[in-house]
Structures are given as C-alpha cells and as structure tokens.
Amino acid sequence: MTTRTFRITVRGAFDGLTDAQRAELLADAAGHDVLRAAFTPEGNLTYDIAARPAFVFRFSDTGEEEEDILEATERAEEAAKAWLTERGYGFKNLRSTAEDLSQAPMGKRQRRAARSSGV
C-alpha cells in the first residue's frame, strides 16, 4: 500500500473582531503573509487583515486510501476552528478544498523526468 499526500485548504473570514484582536492580528501580519504560505501538518495561516477579513489555513496530511481524504479534510477543519476559538477570534463562511497529490497531473518537468528515466 502506498501513502497518499493530501493538501487541504480551509478558507474563511474573521467575524466580529474587537479592536484589540484586530490590532493583534495586524501586529502579527508579517508572520502570516501569503509569501510564507506552506502546506504543513500543523497548518499554516495566512491573512491580510488590513485589506480584507479573509484567512486561509493550509494543511498537509496523509492516508492510504482515496477515501482518507475526507477524514483529513475534517481534521483540518477542526484544527482551524480550534486555533481560531482558542484565541477568541470569531469566524464565518468556513469552507474547505482538498487535493490528493497522487491524483494531480504531472507538470512539464515531471513528465520530462519520467520520459528520461524510462517510466
């Protein structure tokens, strides 16, 4: 059995932030810039609260079966909710997308490498 890698994106919007919470998020914004975005097991949060209240969490997870992506997505959503709730940040419009990288089409370089290795 092979291990599948999943990338899960959880999107939403901050809701009902206090002035203090907004200031806290603004102060930490550099550490949550989209240029630092990465898919990680613990989740990576990006936002630009100065421009709009939207946020994105990026998670990576693994599974053995194609159906494991559903549980991985649920874990990612729960982790995002927990992170926001622990800090007292209100949120709304939470939605998720997930991708099984074993099903993703190969890029141009990957196809060329596969041809040259005789795969």
Side-chain angles (χ1 to χ4, degrees):
M1 197 129 304
T2 61
T3 301
R4 295 168 178 263
T5 300
F6 307 127
R7 285 186 171 175
I8 303 106
T9 305
V10 181
R11 299 176 190 279
F14 293 109
D15 187 43
L17 296 176
T18 65
D19 290 339
Q21 288 172 322
R22 186 171 173 74
E24 181 179 308
L25 288 168
L26 282 168
D28 291 341
H32 298 281
D33 188 85
V34 72
L35 296 176
R36 297 178 182 258
F39 287 89
T40 64
E42 60 279 350
N44 178 267
L45 172 64
T46 58
Y47 60 83
D48 184 359
I49 197 77
R52 61 191 161 289
F55 60 80
V56 178
F57 280 94
R58 290 171 179 82
F59 293 91
S60 66
D61 204 337
T62 58
E64 293 182 1
E65 302 290 332
E66 188 173 343
E67 299 79 27
D68 292 342
I69 198 167
L70 299 173
E71 290 178 14
T73 302
E74 189 174 313
R75 283 192 297 272
E77 288 177 6
E78 290 304 315
K81 288 178 189 177
W83 190 93
L84 293 161
T85 303
E86 286 170 8
R87 288 154 181 81
Y89 297 142
F91 57 93
K92 63 182 179 180
N93 303 329
L94 213 57
R95 60 203 179 285
S96 302
T97 56
E99 178 182 22
D100 180 345
L101 295 185
S102 71
Q103 303 295 317
M106 286 195 292
K108 186 176 182 179
R109 288 183 184 156
Q110 292 171 314
R111 287 192 303 272
R112 190 176 5 188
R115 281 194 305 269
S116 67
S117 68
V119 174

